Amino acid sequence: MIDKKHLDYLTSIVGEENIKSDKAHLIAFCYDATRTRFEPDAVVFPRHEQDVSDILKYCNEHKIIIVPRGAGSGFTGGALPANGGIILSLERHMNKLLEIDMENMVGVVQPGLINMQFQKAVEEVGLFYPPDPASEEYSTLGGNVSENAGGMRAAKYGITKDYVMALRAVLPNGDIIVAGKKTIKDVAGYNTAGILIASEGTLAVITEITLKLIPKPKYKKTYMGVFPSVDSAMTAVFKSLAAGANPVAMEFLDALVIKALRQKFPQISLPEHAGGILVGDVDASSEAEIESQLQTLKESFAANGSIDFIIARDEEEGKKLWFARRNASPATMIYGTKKLNEDISVPRSKLPVALEGIYKIGEKYGFNVPCFGHAGDGNIHVNVMVKDKTNEKEMEDGHKAIEEIFQYVVDLGGTLSGEHGIGTSKAPFMHIAFTEAEMNLFRSIKNAFDPNNILNPFKMGL
């Protein structure tokens, strides 16, 4: 428990209405999408950047742990107070759109602004912010930056880091820093913004974000490719991109997911002969370019074994094609009572062999492992399905299977996480992906920013 004198001082900074230590608030801020629970000692809602600075300065002097938090929608425990301390919640007050600069095509936001709110605001003036994590309707932009969030449009447009031009942040000692500029080119000094992106709140508290915007595409169409096997679908992914296709998204469903969708949602029409499906969008500034892109995809898919290629006639039909992908995750629960899901990523050319190896590991332990995800950028959502979560042996084998999958993916040149981050849940596996020299470098960076280790400590295996 935190000493009352510390709570009193923090109250003097933010006001009584912006600090909570009652049981209801501690429970509300003790979990994320992992459903693991760690109660904080208190929750503080800073009103502005100076509050953040004053709070961090005091807590640094008194060695009080601070855990920054946005919407708490993360999948790896990155914003959980696993070691106690204070939750610094940025969603209540620091959630504003500060500027849309039309001339320089940038948006300036506070970290608590919801991703979808920002997307809608910039699209109203003819601009476009592409990063679209599945949690876009409730995740915050500060959380997106801290986790380097991806999304379905990453195949064409990239991920969060590709749009961060500058950050304002507060160091653990209370110092306020600016990292990056509005300028397109900036090679003066270290890339501090790059270090803060994906740092999961372990180095500084982000208080302002400058994001690159692009013109909003005028036209969009949805397509679906049907394949006899997931292997042929995965081969078509990198072959079609190499042939010049440039889809906004290229999502995949394997045979197990397709089977689950048929059972869970009998109202949707999925081809019975499908062993693998690719679904996505193409966009462009002209209809001719749209048609050219679709033709490239159709020809390349056919050359790699597709048995059908469907183009949505309108937006309503497009939503129907997307329904299967958007409901893939809940559908997989027909295979068990517990899902051990990970978001590994591999080079696109390794997708066929990656899935083949993942299925073999599942067979070794007797698990169904339905897979789906962002094939266009090599990001696979792996789901090891445990039939009986109350069976200790099954759960133990499930975690063994996950560790073997991580090792296999890293051996292919892949990574432990394509978008969810490391947090606490993947921290035990960092040794698979990084050498001791690399981990020591990470620790040195952490120590340079946070020598007292007060800011979201012991995350990412640090």
Side-chain angles (χ1 to χ4, degrees):
M1 287 290 294
I2 189 169
D3 196 297
K4 185 178 181 299
K5 69 177 181 180
H6 298 314
L7 291 179
D8 289 343
Y9 188 84
L10 294 172
T11 300
S12 74
I13 296 174
V14 297
E16 192 172 332
E17 68 278 12
N18 289 312
I19 183 166
K20 303 293 180 181
S21 57
D22 59 284
K23 192 67 173 177
H25 277 86
L26 301 188
I27 291 174
F29 286 83
C30 80
Y31 62 90
D32 64 0
T34 65
R35 302 303 176 193
T36 307
R37 292 172 176 259
F38 297 99
E39 283 193 20
D41 295 318
V43 183
V44 178
F45 303 92
R47 299 162 297 177
H48 42 62
E49 184 179 77
Q50 191 57 52
D51 276 357
V52 175
S53 175
D54 292 343
I55 291 164
L56 288 182
K57 183 178 180 181
Y58 181 83
C59 289
N60 190 54
E61 290 172 354
H62 293 86
K63 310 295 191 300
I64 299 169
I65 290 173
I66 290 286
V67 179
R69 182 180 169 103
S73 59
F75 276 90
T76 58
L80 296 183
N83 299 282
I86 292 172
I87 288 285
L88 190 72
S89 177
L90 301 164
E91 63 178 339
R92 177 181 288 186
H93 300 297
M94 299 183 66
N95 57 8
K96 299 174 184 62
L97 170 55
L98 301 176
E99 178 187 13
I100 299 177
D101 182 340
M102 297 292 291
E103 294 179 339
N104 291 300
M105 295 178 67
V106 301
V108 183
V109 304
Q110 291 182 318
L113 182 65
I114 302 299
N115 179 297
M116 180 60 79
Q117 292 175 357
F118 181 58
Q119 288 191 50
K120 287 180 177 178
V122 300
E123 287 183 26
E124 285 176 4
V125 295
L127 297 176
F128 187 41
Y129 178 67
D132 62 332
S135 58
E136 62 185 354
E137 294 186 0
Y138 47 86
S139 67
T140 64
L141 289 164
N144 294 169
V145 172
S146 295
E147 298 290 345
N148 197 15
M152 293 186 184
R153 295 196 285 244
K156 179 174 182 177
Y157 290 111
I159 56 179
T160 301
K161 71 178 176 63
D162 300 308
Y163 295 87
V164 177
M165 298 185 70
L167 299 170
R168 288 181 66 92
V170 182
L171 299 178
N173 66 1
D175 288 349
I176 297 170
I177 64 168
V178 177
K181 299 286 187 294
K182 272 189 180 182
T183 58
I184 294 171
K185 293 181 177 180
D186 178 15
V187 294
Y190 291 126
N191 182 10
T192 311
I195 294 173
L196 293 179
I197 296 166
S199 65
E200 302 191 17
T202 63
L203 303 180
V205 176
I206 295 168
T207 54
E208 185 179 289
I209 310 163
T210 301
L211 295 165
K212 179 176 73 174
L213 303 173
I214 62 175
K216 182 182 177 181
K218 294 181 180 178
Y219 302 96
K220 183 178 75 171
K221 279 194 175 180
T222 301
Y223 67 89
M224 176 181 283
V226 182
F227 294 82
S229 69
V230 74
D231 183 74
S232 57
M234 294 301 95
T235 301
V237 171
F238 66 90
K239 292 283 189 180
S240 60
L241 294 172
N246 192 22
V248 176
M250 188 179 282
E251 301 290 299
F252 85 95
L253 308 172
D254 74 359
L256 284 169
V257 175
I258 295 168
K259 178 183 176 182
L261 284 161
R262 286 182 195 288
Q263 184 173 323
K264 187 82 172 176
F265 303 102
Q267 72 273 23
I268 66 173
S269 176
L270 288 175
E272 291 184 14
H273 45 279
I277 285 176
L278 296 176
V279 61
D281 295 326
V282 293
D283 67 6
S285 57
S286 71
E287 290 183 327
E289 190 178 349
I290 288 278
E291 296 308 316
S292 175
Q293 282 289 311
L294 289 170
Q295 187 62 29
T296 299
L297 284 169
K298 182 178 181 179
E299 291 174 0
S300 185
F301 283 14
N304 290 282
S306 72
I307 50 183
D308 200 2
F309 188 77
I310 304 162
I311 300 173
R313 287 174 293 184
D314 51 35
E315 187 176 350
E316 193 60 34
E317 263 194 22
K319 288 179 180 178
K320 290 179 180 177
L321 293 182
W322 270 109
F323 182 89
R325 169 61 184 91
R326 296 191 186 280
N327 289 277
S329 184
T332 59
M333 293 308 296
I334 72 165
Y335 295 113
T337 61
K338 177 69 175 178
K339 176 194 299 187
L340 303 178
N341 61 311
E342 299 296 344
D343 65 316
I344 57 88
S345 191
V346 297
R348 288 184 298 225
S349 64
K350 299 291 187 182
L351 282 167
V353 68
L355 284 172
E356 180 184 2
I358 288 166
Y359 296 142
K360 285 182 179 177
I361 293 169
E363 289 170 9
K364 173 182 173 181
Y365 289 97
F367 294 118
N368 282 312
V369 187
C371 296
F372 59 88
H374 318 304
D377 55 45
N379 189 189
I380 304 171
H381 290 288
V382 175
N383 303 275
V384 173
M385 304 304 301
V386 177
K387 292 177 184 177
D388 180 6
K389 64 183 179 182
T390 65
N391 186 312
E392 290 185 15
K393 177 66 164 56
E394 271 197 65
M395 287 298 296
E396 184 181 335
D397 284 349
H399 289 293
K400 285 180 181 178
I402 288 292
E403 184 164 6
E404 284 193 31
I405 289 168
F406 282 152
Q407 185 65 65
Y408 179 69
V409 163
V410 169
D411 289 344
L412 289 176
T415 179
L416 300 178
S417 176
E419 52 190 8
H420 294 163
I422 300 299
T424 56
S425 65
K426 292 188 182 181
F429 307 108
M430 287 288 276
H431 69 280
I432 293 174
F434 300 100
T435 66
E436 189 59 24
E438 291 162 345
M439 289 300 297
N440 284 335
L441 178 59
F442 295 162
R443 294 181 187 110
S444 296
I445 293 170
K446 168 68 169 168
N447 187 61
F449 277 81
D450 184 17
N452 288 328
N453 201 27
I454 66 151
L455 199 52
N456 211 10
F458 310 113
K459 302 293 169 67
M460 299 193 292
L462 301 178

